[in-house]
Short mmCIF file of all heavy atoms in Angstrom, two decimals:
data_model
loop_
_atom_site.label_atom_id
_atom_site.label_comp_id
_atom_site.label_asym_id
_atom_site.label_seq_id
_atom_site.Cartn_x
_atom_site.Cartn_y
_atom_site.Cartn_z
N VAL A 1 -14.83 -14.48 6.33
CA VAL A 1 -14.16 -14.94 5.13
C VAL A 1 -12.70 -14.60 5.27
O VAL A 1 -12.34 -13.49 5.63
CB VAL A 1 -14.76 -14.25 3.87
CG1 VAL A 1 -13.91 -14.62 2.64
CG2 VAL A 1 -16.16 -14.64 3.64
N THR A 2 -11.84 -15.55 5.03
CA THR A 2 -10.43 -15.37 5.20
C THR A 2 -9.61 -15.55 3.91
O THR A 2 -8.40 -15.55 3.96
CB THR A 2 -9.87 -16.35 6.25
OG1 THR A 2 -10.13 -17.67 5.84
CG2 THR A 2 -10.57 -16.10 7.61
N TYR A 3 -10.25 -15.76 2.77
CA TYR A 3 -9.58 -15.94 1.53
C TYR A 3 -10.10 -14.99 0.47
O TYR A 3 -11.04 -15.30 -0.21
CB TYR A 3 -9.67 -17.38 1.08
CG TYR A 3 -8.74 -17.70 -0.13
CD1 TYR A 3 -7.37 -17.81 0.05
CD2 TYR A 3 -9.28 -17.89 -1.40
CE1 TYR A 3 -6.56 -18.04 -1.01
CE2 TYR A 3 -8.44 -18.11 -2.47
CZ TYR A 3 -7.07 -18.20 -2.29
OH TYR A 3 -6.28 -18.50 -3.32
N ASP A 4 -9.56 -13.81 0.42
CA ASP A 4 -9.83 -12.83 -0.62
C ASP A 4 -8.71 -12.85 -1.63
O ASP A 4 -7.58 -13.23 -1.31
CB ASP A 4 -10.01 -11.42 -0.03
CG ASP A 4 -11.14 -11.39 0.99
OD1 ASP A 4 -12.23 -11.84 0.72
OD2 ASP A 4 -10.90 -10.90 2.11
N THR A 5 -8.95 -12.38 -2.89
CA THR A 5 -7.92 -12.49 -3.90
C THR A 5 -7.81 -11.22 -4.80
O THR A 5 -8.86 -10.54 -5.00
CB THR A 5 -8.20 -13.72 -4.82
OG1 THR A 5 -9.46 -13.55 -5.41
CG2 THR A 5 -8.13 -14.93 -4.04
N PHE A 6 -6.65 -11.03 -5.28
CA PHE A 6 -6.32 -10.16 -6.42
C PHE A 6 -5.91 -11.05 -7.57
O PHE A 6 -5.12 -11.97 -7.36
CB PHE A 6 -5.19 -9.18 -6.14
CG PHE A 6 -5.47 -8.06 -5.22
CD1 PHE A 6 -4.44 -7.41 -4.54
CD2 PHE A 6 -6.78 -7.61 -4.96
CE1 PHE A 6 -4.62 -6.37 -3.72
CE2 PHE A 6 -6.99 -6.57 -4.14
CZ PHE A 6 -5.94 -5.91 -3.48
N THR A 7 -6.30 -10.73 -8.78
CA THR A 7 -5.67 -11.32 -9.98
C THR A 7 -4.91 -10.21 -10.72
O THR A 7 -5.53 -9.23 -11.16
CB THR A 7 -6.71 -11.94 -10.90
OG1 THR A 7 -7.43 -12.94 -10.17
CG2 THR A 7 -6.05 -12.58 -12.09
N LEU A 8 -3.65 -10.33 -10.78
CA LEU A 8 -2.79 -9.32 -11.44
C LEU A 8 -2.96 -9.41 -12.93
O LEU A 8 -3.36 -10.48 -13.50
CB LEU A 8 -1.33 -9.47 -11.02
CG LEU A 8 -1.07 -9.42 -9.54
CD1 LEU A 8 0.45 -9.66 -9.26
CD2 LEU A 8 -1.52 -8.13 -8.90
N ASP A 9 -2.63 -8.37 -13.68
CA ASP A 9 -2.76 -8.37 -15.15
C ASP A 9 -1.59 -9.03 -15.79
O ASP A 9 -0.69 -9.53 -15.09
CB ASP A 9 -3.03 -6.98 -15.66
CG ASP A 9 -1.80 -6.02 -15.53
OD1 ASP A 9 -0.68 -6.51 -15.22
OD2 ASP A 9 -2.00 -4.83 -15.72
N SER A 10 -1.60 -9.10 -17.10
CA SER A 10 -0.56 -9.86 -17.85
C SER A 10 0.83 -9.27 -17.68
O SER A 10 1.78 -9.99 -17.83
CB SER A 10 -0.95 -9.96 -19.32
OG SER A 10 -1.07 -8.65 -19.89
N SER A 11 0.89 -7.98 -17.35
CA SER A 11 2.21 -7.37 -17.14
C SER A 11 2.89 -7.94 -15.88
O SER A 11 4.07 -7.80 -15.67
CB SER A 11 2.15 -5.87 -17.08
OG SER A 11 1.53 -5.45 -15.90
N MET A 12 2.06 -8.59 -15.02
CA MET A 12 2.53 -9.15 -13.74
C MET A 12 2.20 -10.66 -13.74
O MET A 12 1.82 -11.23 -12.71
CB MET A 12 1.94 -8.43 -12.56
CG MET A 12 2.36 -6.99 -12.45
SD MET A 12 1.78 -6.22 -10.91
CE MET A 12 2.51 -4.61 -11.10
N SER A 13 2.28 -11.28 -14.91
CA SER A 13 2.20 -12.76 -15.04
C SER A 13 0.81 -13.29 -14.66
O SER A 13 0.69 -14.51 -14.50
CB SER A 13 3.27 -13.45 -14.23
OG SER A 13 4.58 -13.15 -14.66
N SER A 14 -0.18 -12.41 -14.57
CA SER A 14 -1.57 -12.87 -14.31
C SER A 14 -1.63 -13.70 -12.99
O SER A 14 -2.49 -14.63 -12.94
CB SER A 14 -2.12 -13.63 -15.46
OG SER A 14 -2.13 -12.85 -16.65
N LEU A 15 -0.79 -13.37 -12.04
CA LEU A 15 -0.78 -14.17 -10.80
C LEU A 15 -2.03 -13.92 -9.98
O LEU A 15 -2.58 -12.75 -9.97
CB LEU A 15 0.47 -13.81 -9.96
CG LEU A 15 1.78 -14.33 -10.44
CD1 LEU A 15 2.86 -13.87 -9.42
CD2 LEU A 15 1.82 -15.83 -10.57
N SER A 16 -2.41 -14.90 -9.27
CA SER A 16 -3.51 -14.77 -8.25
C SER A 16 -2.85 -14.64 -6.89
O SER A 16 -2.13 -15.49 -6.46
CB SER A 16 -4.45 -16.01 -8.27
OG SER A 16 -5.44 -15.87 -7.32
N MET A 17 -3.18 -13.51 -6.24
CA MET A 17 -2.58 -13.21 -4.97
C MET A 17 -3.62 -13.30 -3.86
O MET A 17 -4.72 -12.75 -4.07
CB MET A 17 -1.92 -11.79 -5.02
CG MET A 17 -0.94 -11.56 -6.12
SD MET A 17 0.62 -12.37 -5.93
CE MET A 17 1.39 -11.32 -4.64
N SER A 18 -3.29 -13.89 -2.71
CA SER A 18 -4.18 -13.87 -1.60
C SER A 18 -4.14 -12.45 -0.94
O SER A 18 -3.07 -11.78 -0.91
CB SER A 18 -3.69 -14.88 -0.54
OG SER A 18 -3.76 -16.22 -1.02
N VAL A 19 -5.24 -11.98 -0.45
CA VAL A 19 -5.40 -10.75 0.22
C VAL A 19 -5.89 -10.95 1.60
O VAL A 19 -6.83 -11.71 1.84
CB VAL A 19 -6.34 -9.80 -0.56
CG1 VAL A 19 -6.43 -8.43 0.09
CG2 VAL A 19 -5.86 -9.61 -2.03
N SER A 20 -5.32 -10.24 2.56
CA SER A 20 -5.79 -10.28 3.95
C SER A 20 -5.67 -8.92 4.56
O SER A 20 -5.12 -8.01 3.95
CB SER A 20 -5.02 -11.33 4.75
OG SER A 20 -3.62 -11.12 4.71
N PHE A 21 -6.19 -8.74 5.77
CA PHE A 21 -6.35 -7.43 6.39
C PHE A 21 -5.85 -7.44 7.83
O PHE A 21 -5.91 -8.47 8.50
CB PHE A 21 -7.81 -6.92 6.32
CG PHE A 21 -8.34 -6.93 4.93
CD1 PHE A 21 -9.04 -8.05 4.43
CD2 PHE A 21 -8.12 -5.86 4.15
CE1 PHE A 21 -9.54 -8.03 3.12
CE2 PHE A 21 -8.63 -5.84 2.83
CZ PHE A 21 -9.29 -6.93 2.33
N ALA A 22 -5.44 -6.28 8.28
CA ALA A 22 -4.93 -6.13 9.68
C ALA A 22 -5.79 -5.03 10.33
O ALA A 22 -5.64 -3.87 10.04
CB ALA A 22 -3.51 -5.74 9.66
N PHE A 23 -6.64 -5.44 11.22
CA PHE A 23 -7.50 -4.50 11.91
C PHE A 23 -7.46 -4.67 13.43
O PHE A 23 -7.37 -5.84 13.88
CB PHE A 23 -8.95 -4.63 11.44
CG PHE A 23 -9.23 -4.04 10.10
CD1 PHE A 23 -9.26 -4.90 9.02
CD2 PHE A 23 -9.48 -2.73 9.99
CE1 PHE A 23 -9.52 -4.33 7.76
CE2 PHE A 23 -9.70 -2.16 8.72
CZ PHE A 23 -9.74 -3.01 7.64
N TYR A 24 -7.61 -3.61 14.17
CA TYR A 24 -7.83 -3.64 15.58
C TYR A 24 -9.22 -3.05 15.85
O TYR A 24 -9.81 -2.46 14.96
CB TYR A 24 -6.77 -2.83 16.37
CG TYR A 24 -5.51 -3.65 16.60
CD1 TYR A 24 -4.98 -4.49 15.60
CD2 TYR A 24 -4.87 -3.62 17.81
CE1 TYR A 24 -3.81 -5.19 15.84
CE2 TYR A 24 -3.74 -4.31 18.11
CZ TYR A 24 -3.20 -5.12 17.08
OH TYR A 24 -2.02 -5.85 17.28
N GLN A 25 -9.72 -3.24 16.95
CA GLN A 25 -11.12 -2.90 17.27
C GLN A 25 -11.42 -1.40 17.11
O GLN A 25 -12.60 -1.00 16.89
CB GLN A 25 -11.55 -3.36 18.66
CG GLN A 25 -10.75 -2.72 19.79
CD GLN A 25 -10.99 -3.46 21.12
OE1 GLN A 25 -10.97 -4.67 21.17
NE2 GLN A 25 -11.21 -2.70 22.14
N THR A 26 -10.39 -0.54 17.23
CA THR A 26 -10.58 0.89 17.13
C THR A 26 -10.65 1.34 15.70
O THR A 26 -10.85 2.52 15.44
CB THR A 26 -9.51 1.65 17.91
OG1 THR A 26 -8.22 1.29 17.37
CG2 THR A 26 -9.61 1.37 19.36
N GLU A 27 -10.39 0.49 14.73
CA GLU A 27 -10.36 0.91 13.37
C GLU A 27 -11.60 0.48 12.57
O GLU A 27 -12.16 -0.58 12.80
CB GLU A 27 -9.12 0.28 12.62
CG GLU A 27 -7.85 1.17 12.88
CD GLU A 27 -6.69 0.27 13.30
OE1 GLU A 27 -6.70 -0.96 13.05
OE2 GLU A 27 -5.76 0.77 13.87
N THR A 28 -11.97 1.29 11.66
CA THR A 28 -13.12 0.98 10.79
C THR A 28 -12.84 -0.16 9.87
O THR A 28 -11.68 -0.38 9.56
CB THR A 28 -13.61 2.24 10.03
OG1 THR A 28 -14.80 1.93 9.34
CG2 THR A 28 -12.53 2.71 9.08
N SER A 29 -13.90 -0.87 9.44
CA SER A 29 -13.66 -2.07 8.67
C SER A 29 -14.32 -2.00 7.28
O SER A 29 -14.62 -3.03 6.68
CB SER A 29 -14.25 -3.28 9.42
OG SER A 29 -15.64 -3.02 9.71
N THR A 30 -14.51 -0.80 6.72
CA THR A 30 -15.04 -0.74 5.35
C THR A 30 -13.95 -1.02 4.36
O THR A 30 -12.76 -0.89 4.64
CB THR A 30 -15.58 0.67 5.10
OG1 THR A 30 -14.51 1.63 5.05
CG2 THR A 30 -16.62 1.04 6.09
N VAL A 31 -14.38 -1.44 3.18
CA VAL A 31 -13.42 -1.77 2.10
C VAL A 31 -12.53 -0.55 1.79
O VAL A 31 -11.32 -0.63 1.70
CB VAL A 31 -14.22 -2.19 0.87
CG1 VAL A 31 -13.25 -2.34 -0.36
CG2 VAL A 31 -14.94 -3.51 1.14
N LYS A 32 -13.16 0.59 1.61
CA LYS A 32 -12.44 1.81 1.28
C LYS A 32 -11.39 2.13 2.37
O LYS A 32 -10.22 2.40 1.94
CB LYS A 32 -13.42 2.99 1.12
CG LYS A 32 -12.76 4.34 0.86
CD LYS A 32 -13.77 5.45 0.61
CE LYS A 32 -14.55 5.72 1.84
NZ LYS A 32 -15.53 6.88 1.62
N ASN A 33 -11.71 2.12 3.62
CA ASN A 33 -10.75 2.44 4.62
C ASN A 33 -9.64 1.39 4.74
O ASN A 33 -8.51 1.74 5.01
CB ASN A 33 -11.43 2.64 5.94
CG ASN A 33 -12.19 3.94 6.04
OD1 ASN A 33 -11.99 4.83 5.20
ND2 ASN A 33 -13.13 4.03 6.94
N ALA A 34 -9.98 0.18 4.53
CA ALA A 34 -8.92 -0.88 4.61
C ALA A 34 -7.86 -0.67 3.58
O ALA A 34 -6.69 -0.83 3.85
CB ALA A 34 -9.62 -2.24 4.38
N PHE A 35 -8.28 -0.29 2.34
CA PHE A 35 -7.27 -0.16 1.29
C PHE A 35 -6.64 1.18 1.25
O PHE A 35 -5.42 1.29 1.01
CB PHE A 35 -7.93 -0.52 -0.07
CG PHE A 35 -8.13 -2.00 -0.25
CD1 PHE A 35 -9.40 -2.53 -0.13
CD2 PHE A 35 -7.08 -2.80 -0.54
CE1 PHE A 35 -9.56 -3.94 -0.28
CE2 PHE A 35 -7.23 -4.19 -0.69
CZ PHE A 35 -8.49 -4.77 -0.58
N THR A 36 -7.43 2.28 1.46
CA THR A 36 -6.76 3.60 1.39
C THR A 36 -5.89 3.88 2.61
O THR A 36 -4.98 4.75 2.49
CB THR A 36 -7.84 4.66 1.23
OG1 THR A 36 -8.73 4.64 2.34
CG2 THR A 36 -8.61 4.49 -0.05
N ASN A 37 -6.14 3.20 3.72
CA ASN A 37 -5.34 3.41 4.92
C ASN A 37 -4.26 2.33 5.13
O ASN A 37 -3.70 2.28 6.17
CB ASN A 37 -6.26 3.51 6.17
CG ASN A 37 -7.14 4.75 6.14
OD1 ASN A 37 -6.68 5.80 5.65
ND2 ASN A 37 -8.34 4.63 6.61
#
């Protein structure tokens, strides 16, 4: 899947933002690690 999204709240105009990720093979691919790292 290559099209993930955030929907910002009304303080940020309720914009829909595309989300993508940058990984190399030595990095873990869990949701938590992708965002916290």
Side-chain angles (χ1 to χ4, degrees):
V1 175
T2 59
Y3 188 72
D4 300 310
T5 59
F6 286 160
T7 301
L8 303 179
D9 67 12
S10 59
S11 71
M12 296 186 178
S13 298
S14 301
L15 286 180
S16 179
M17 307 287 285
S18 298
V19 180
S20 54
F21 303 93
F23 284 98
Y24 276 43
Q25 62 192 46
T26 57
E27 278 133 19
T28 183
S29 56
T30 66
V31 172
K32 177 174 67 178
N33 286 343
F35 285 105
T36 59
N37 292 325

